[in-house]
Amino acid sequence: MYDVMVVGGGLAGMTSAFLMAKSGLKILLLEKGSYPQHRVCGEYVSNEVLPFLKKHGLFPSHINTAKINRFQLTSTNGRSVEIPLILGAFGISRYAFDTYLYERCLSVGVEFLTHTKVSKIKKKEDYFELSANEITYKGHFVIGAYGKRANLDKLLNRDFMNLRSPYIGVKYHVKTEFPDDLIALHNFENGYCGVSKIENNTYNICYLSHRDNLKNSGTISAMETSVLFQNPYLKTLFLSSDFLFDKPLIINEISFTNKKLIEDNILMCGDTAGLITPLCGNGMSMAIHAGKIAAETLTYFRANPSSRAQIEQTYEASWNQLFKSRLHWGRQLQRVFGNKMTSNLVVNLAKIAPSMANKLVSKTHGHPF
Ligand SMILES: Cc1cc2nc3c(=O)[nH]c(=O)nc-3n(C[C@H](O)[C@H](O)[C@H](O)COP(=O)(O)OP(=O)(O)OC[C@H]3O[C@@H](n4cnc5c(N)ncnc54)[C@H](O)[C@@H]3O)c2cc1C
């Protein structure tokens, strides 16, 4: 019988597992993939997580992460504005970051099963049963940290699974000429593309596009030429970069709708609880922060037993306080991007009133923790 079983070894799952194991809880983490692995992500991590990562030895200081403190925004037709980033960020590939967290989890005694896809979660009287690879595991609590969309959401009959989402995500690693300290967000019709440095003089290009762009163009490469290249910054970037993957990494059905935080007594965490639009650039720091509060809640109540309802209320209150408003602002901002008129309007406003642009950025971010 485990104290907590964590489903999914991304940032939320590994952060929570690490903290709980460090506090002496018996933890099982089940991950369908393995490490290292690439993921579709802009790989720009808001510095709000730095104090926490450094305090717990979770910051990979042996890796030459990029330090990012300037933000460039361009409209679909290439009007550009640049503002300083007050909090800033670091750039690191998920390939390197997740692998480092995986090693840190093993070092504190997390029982980690890779290549293990959870296919069923069943609540019994006062414990859970999980099924994966035809083996059943038992634990007092389950944290659902399996990302934006998975087989389990269907099984749990979660509302958002009935809605189709129009977005696809595409990612590359490239060698290119680009400033080390800049994150650029280039709009194109019905989408936007982020560019920033990660480790080893490599750069991340990651974009979100409406699936109609792909449907109308036929292939990813045709869509890039006919839609993304309308923004001159993207045309120059794509044509002058050396692409390191054989083919792009692609995901689809990316949904930003509300999700329930607790389903069948499972505490949802990270993207499983709600995904902030990537243009905010802080889904990763939110996943890490959510992993922290899930771990703190369960560690506290393991030492001070209480009803399941009390535990769930405590988690929900902390989560809402930290993330509810940010997700709301993220959703509002998402509407403004990927449109010629509104993207030009935002660029012009940011030129006239950069402090307002910084205020908007701060609405979607938290404080260092
Ligand atoms: C296009 C795009 C760009 C982005 N860019 C940025 C950015 O630049 N900066 C930023 O901060 N955020 C960004 N984000 C958001 C960020 O990637 C996520 O918020 C973050 O990865 C969430 O972490 P997580 O731990 O919740 O989920 P994940 O990192 O997705 O981890 C979930 C894990 O669960 C595993 N899993 C799934 N199903 C099962 C199962 N049944 N059994 C076992 N394991 C399972 C998966 O294999 C995966 O390892 C971006 C998102 C998108 C879509």
Side-chain angles (χ1 to χ4, degrees), residues 46-57 59 367-369:
S46 165
N47 277 342
E48 67 197 65
V49 290
L50 269 186
F52 168 78
L53 293 180
K54 286 186 173 166
K55 178 176 165 197
H56 292 282
F59 182 74
H367 300 291
F369 61 94

Side-chain angles (χ1 to χ4, degrees), residues 38-40 169-174 205 207 220-221 224 243-251:
H38 286 292
R39 295 176 196 272
V40 175
V170 180
K171 169 179 134 170
Y172 301 98
H173 282 172
V174 301
I205 298 181
Y207 64 83
I220 291 282
S221 136
E224 287 166 354
F243 286 74
L244 303 179
F245 297 160
D246 291 340
K247 51 183 186 186
L249 243 64
I250 305 169
I251 52 169

Side-chain angles (χ1 to χ4, degrees), residues 6-15 29-35 37 39-46 90 94 98 113 115-121 131-132 144-153 168-171 183 192 194 196 204 206-209 251 254-256 269-288 290 365:
V6 181
V7 184
L11 301 176
M14 288 199 282
T15 304
L29 196 157
L30 308 101
E31 162 58 41
K32 74 172 180 183
S34 63
Y35 306 89
Q37 62 182 337
R39 295 176 196 272
V40 175
C41 182
E43 304 179 322
Y44 161 99
V45 192
S46 165
F90 63 94
R94 295 293 299 269
D98 289 32
L113 298 175
H115 299 293
T116 306
K117 182 175 178 174
V118 175
S119 52
K120 208 149 112 196
I121 308 176
S131 308
Y146 49 82
K148 338 176 204 324
R149 192 180 183 93
N151 58 328
L152 293 171
D153 290 318
I168 58 168
V170 180
K171 169 179 134 170
I183 166 111
Y192 48 84
S196 56
N204 172 302
C206 186
Y207 64 83
L208 192 80
S209 168
I251 52 169
I254 304 168
S255 163
F256 306 111
C269 195
D271 283 359
T272 317
L275 167 64
I276 191 158
T277 160
L279 73 88
C280 299
N282 64 344
M284 287 198 273
S285 63
M286 283 174 58
I288 291 169
H365 282 68

Side-chain angles (χ1 to χ4, degrees), residues 14-32:
M14 288 199 282
T15 304
S16 66
F18 174 85
L19 292 177
M20 291 185 292
K22 211 173 150 202
S23 304
L25 273 65
K26 188 171 155 61
I27 305 299
L28 176 69
L29 196 157
L30 308 101
E31 162 58 41
K32 74 172 180 183

